[in-house]
Amino acid sequence: MSNPARKKTSIQEAIDLIVDSVAGEAIKSIGLDMTKLENNPDLQVAEMEKCKNDVVYWIVNYVKTFDPRIADPDKRIMPFNLYPRQVELMHWIDGRVKLNQVGLVEKSRDAGISFCFGAHWLHSWIFEKGFAGGFGSYVEEKV
């Protein structure tokens, strides 16, 4: 039963709250002065453009990952620090997208490949108007 006194939140308001929270934490974590960004629309536009044009920059500076295997709950969320091969993968994915080509990645477990594809997909969803995409994998029995 719903509470009539409770304010209904639109989907967009919920997304804005999440983005504001995550972006604020990410900006703090990379050492950007939030007040500098809040008070400087030109800097905001420049930072957004930088993020839009460079998926690796966006990931390294604004994306966090979650590792449930870490015992300390305060340390389970951490910056997504890409390894050199993951940076190469991000550029490879960009190439496939720009050339409208299909690609296949054979991978092992725990290489961060699924996180890379997820981050690239999220970047496209945030920065490319009209983006629609997806990805999948075989089940273990088919591999």
Side-chain angles (χ1 to χ4, degrees), residues 44-56:
Q44 291 173 15
V45 170
E47 187 65 14
M48 288 296 284
E49 243 349 89
K50 201 172 193 181
C51 289
K52 179 181 179 179
N53 294 326
D54 187 348
V55 66
V56 172

Side-chain angles (χ1 to χ4, degrees), residues 103-105 107 114 117 121 133-139:
L104 172 70
V105 174
K107 67 178 200 71
S114 297
F117 272 93
W121 188 93
F135 50 92
S137 65
Y138 279 118
V139 293

Side-chain angles (χ1 to χ4, degrees), residues 50-69:
K50 201 172 193 181
C51 289
K52 179 181 179 179
N53 294 326
D54 187 348
V55 66
V56 172
Y57 174 83
W58 176 75
I59 290 170
V60 170
N61 291 294
Y62 292 97
V63 176
K64 298 205 181 245
T65 60
F66 174 80
D67 190 342
R69 299 170 295 185

Side-chain angles (χ1 to χ4, degrees), residues 12-30 34 37-38 61-64 77:
Q12 187 58 52
E13 287 172 323
I15 290 170
D16 290 344
L17 285 171
I18 293 166
V19 169
D20 288 347
S21 171
V22 172
E25 287 304 309
I27 287 167
K28 287 178 201 164
S29 74
I30 63 170
M34 188 65 162
L37 277 176
E38 285 174 355
N61 291 294
Y62 292 97
V63 176
K64 298 205 181 245
I77 296 175

